Amino acid sequence: MNSSISGANSGTNQALMGGGGTQAARRGGGSAAGSLGAGEAPLGTITGFAAAFGSFALTPPEIVPEQSARLARAERFELQAIARSILPGHRIKGCLLYRRHGAATVQVCRSRASGLAYYGGLQVCGRGAVCPVCGSRIAEHNCGEIQSALDGWRAMGGVPALITFTMPHYRSQGLAENVVALLSAYRGLTGNRPYRALAKSAGLAHSIRSLEVTWGPQNGFHPHLHVLGFFGSGYGAAGFPERLPLLWLAELQRHIAIANTDHVLERGIRFQLGFSAGAEYLSKVGRAWGLAEEVSKANRKKGQGGHFSPLQLLCHVRDETLPQAAAVYREYAEVSHGLHFLQWSRGMRAALGLAEEKSEEEKADGEDQGDPVLASLAPEEWRAVRSGGWQARVRLVELADYDEDAAIAYLAHLVERFRQAAGAGC
Ligand SMILES: [Zn+2]
C-alpha cells in the first residue's frame, strides 16, 4: 500500500497513466485508513470519499476527460503558484488555497461538461488577467456567452467581423501609458460623430471589445484591441473597413505622438468579415490561459511575432529562460488591476437575450453547475492537501478524474504525512 502510494506520488505524468497506482490502491482494499499507524484517529475525509464512492463509483464519468485538458489543468495550477510567488500581496495569494467564508468543507467535484475534477468551496481571486486558474474559468464562461451571441446573430441573419485595433509602441513606454492611450482612443472613436455615422450606415449594431496585452524584448508592451462587430443583415459592413483607418489615426493622434502615420493607416486596423472571423475571435479570447490546448508545452513559450502572452511570460519565469519575465509580469499585473478586459456594448446583451453579466469573481467561481460532489474534505484534510503544494492539489483531482479509490488512498497518504509533520513539530 505504502509503496503504491509513494510510487504514484512520484510525478504528475505517472498519475495520468492511471494503471499501477490505481490497481495497487485497490489491492490495498478499502482500507486506505488502515495504512495509518495504529492509534491514529480515523479519517473523516476518507469516509466522505468512500460515501461518494458508493454513490458514484458504479456510474462511470459521463465524459472521459481529454489528456490535453488534464495537462493544461496541471499547468495552470503550476503557473498559478509561479504567479503567486512573484506577486506578494496580490489577491492571487489566497486563490484556491483557503476555504470560502462560511464553507465548512472543500468539495471535490466532477464537471459534467469536461469530465475534469475540480475543487469547490474555496476562495477565488477572480483576477482573470493575472491568475491562470481564474483566467481560464472566466475565459471559458466568456467564450460560451460569445458563442451564444454569435448563434443568435446568425439566426437573425447578421454577420460578425473581427476588427483588430493596434497602435505604435516603443520599448521606452510603460504599459500604463500605452493602455491609457489605447483605451482612450477607442472610447473617443466610438463616441465621435463621424464614426457613429459610419457605423450606422454600415449596419454595425453591437460590439464586444477585448483587450489583449503582449510583451516583446524589442518593443516592450503591445496592448491591442480585438473587437467583434455585429453587422446587420443586408449591410455587409459597406464602406466600414475602408474608412475606419483614417478615423482611428485621428483618434490616436489625440493621445500619442505618431511619427509614421502611413504605418498606422496600413496596419493600425485589421478587418475580417464572416463567421470564421467570429471563431477566430473566440480562439483569441479563449487562448489567453491555455484553453487552446493543442499548443504543446514545448511550443508554449514561442512568442508570436516576437511577443509573449502573460501565460508565456509565466512559463519563462518558471523555466528561468527570460531574465526580465518576472519584472514584466509584475508591471502587467499592476496595470491590469481594474481594467475591463472584455466589454459588451450597451444594450447588446439584452438585445441578444443574454442575462446580466456576472462579475469576474462569479465567473471564476464556477460553482453553480450542479456537478456531482465526489467528496467533502474536512478542514484538517484540506490543510493536508494544501501542505503538499500545487503538486498535491493537482494530483488529487487527477486521481479523482477517473478513480475515487486511488484518490482515497492518496488522501490518506497526505493526511498521514501531515500529521507526522505536525507531530514532529511539536
Ligand atoms: Zn485566481
Side-chain angles (χ1 to χ4, degrees):
M1 182 67 196
N2 283 336
S3 65
S4 76
I5 289 172
S6 58
N9 196 27
S10 63
T12 297
N13 288 335
Q14 194 169 344
L16 291 171
M17 303 292 283
T22 302
Q23 290 308 316
R26 283 193 192 285
R27 278 198 303 277
S31 58
S35 67
L36 299 175
E40 292 200 20
L43 297 168
T45 318
I46 300 303
T47 312
F49 254 107
F53 186 67
S55 306
F56 292 102
L58 298 178
T59 311
E62 291 170 36
I63 294 180
V64 176
E66 305 239 347
Q67 172 98 336
S68 59
R70 305 178 82 223
L71 287 170
R73 175 186 56 191
E75 194 174 27
R76 283 194 292 270
F77 271 82
E78 181 184 15
L79 294 179
Q80 187 196 44
I82 299 284
R84 215 190 316 272
S85 72
I86 61 173
L87 299 173
H90 190 278
R91 200 175 147 85
I92 195 175
K93 70 177 186 289
C95 183
L96 289 179
L97 281 184
Y98 301 106
R99 272 176 296 137
R100 188 185 310 152
H101 183 67
T105 60
V106 174
Q107 295 89 45
V108 180
C109 309
R110 181 185 285 139
S111 164
R112 285 189 203 281
S114 66
L116 292 171
Y118 65 93
Y119 296 111
L122 294 171
Q123 297 173 21
V124 292
C125 72
R127 299 287 188 261
V130 172
C131 172
V133 178
C134 289
S136 164
R137 289 181 177 180
I138 291 169
E140 198 174 340
H141 180 95
N142 287 338
C143 284
E145 290 197 323
I146 295 166
Q147 185 64 62
S148 296
L150 283 167
D151 292 344
W153 201 240
R154 187 194 285 268
M156 292 179 192
V159 63
L162 168 56
I163 314 157
T164 302
F165 293 78
T166 59
M167 58 178 253
H169 60 102
Y170 311 99
R171 201 160 72 173
S172 59
Q173 294 169 324
L175 178 59
E177 185 186 353
N178 277 346
V179 165
V180 167
L182 180 72
L183 294 179
S184 301
Y186 183 73
R187 202 163 34 242
L189 174 78
T190 53
N192 81 23
R193 202 169 292 168
Y195 173 85
R196 294 175 83 86
L198 172 64
K200 193 175 178 188
S201 69
L204 178 61
H206 311 291
S207 60
I208 310 170
R209 186 280 274 147
S210 167
L211 169 65
E212 184 173 348
V213 177
T214 56
W215 179 90
Q218 293 291 324
N219 295 314
F221 283 107
H222 174 49
H224 49 285
L225 301 174
H226 299 295
V227 174
L228 189 60
F230 287 64
F231 290 87
S233 63
Y235 288 91
F240 192 82
E242 293 78 9
R243 292 171 58 195
L244 187 57
L246 207 53
L247 294 172
W248 179 235
L249 172 64
E251 275 304 331
L252 276 180
Q253 284 177 314
R254 290 176 198 266
H255 302 282
I256 50 167
I258 295 179
N260 187 346
T261 53
D262 285 347
H263 190 266
V264 174
L265 290 175
E266 286 162 20
R267 306 248 186 113
I269 299 285
R270 186 163 169 252
F271 186 94
Q272 301 161 263
L273 189 70
F275 280 91
S276 62
E280 190 176 334
Y281 180 84
L282 273 175
S283 78
K284 286 181 189 300
V285 172
R287 78 179 173 201
W289 290 113
L291 290 183
E293 283 143 356
E294 73 277 7
V295 179
S296 73
K297 209 167 175 175
N299 289 326
R300 196 47 78 63
K301 290 189 296 179
K302 284 183 186 160
Q304 204 176 17
H307 287 91
F308 302 115
S309 69
L311 176 131
Q312 290 173 319
L313 286 169
L314 284 181
C315 291
H316 279 292
V317 175
R318 175 191 62 195
D319 302 341
E320 300 180 355
T321 40
L322 190 68
Q324 57 280 61
V328 169
Y329 199 81
R330 275 187 212 107
E331 182 177 352
Y332 164 72
E334 193 174 321
V335 174
S336 67
H337 181 65
L339 290 178
H340 290 287
F341 276 72
L342 192 87
Q343 201 156 49
W344 299 66
S345 62
R346 198 172 301 153
M348 174 180 184
R349 295 179 64 92
L352 286 167
L354 292 167
E356 204 170 312
E357 192 173 11
K358 290 182 172 182
S359 70
E360 299 287 276
E361 283 82 359
E362 287 169 331
K363 291 178 190 175
D365 200 354
E367 286 190 36
D368 55 356
Q369 316 291 326
D371 291 325
V373 175
L374 303 176
S376 294
L377 311 190
E380 186 201 13
E381 284 129 9
W382 177 245
R383 278 196 292 277
V385 175
R386 212 174 57 205
S387 71
W390 67 267
Q391 294 92 335
R393 285 180 284 128
V394 166
R395 178 147 174 69
L396 186 62
V397 285
E398 282 179 343
L399 292 172
D401 279 345
Y402 58 88
D403 193 336
E404 292 93 340
D405 217 3
I408 291 168
Y410 181 59
L411 191 57
H413 162 71
L414 288 175
V415 171
E416 182 184 18
R417 200 177 62 177
F418 181 68
R419 286 180 175 172
Q420 281 173 355
C426 287

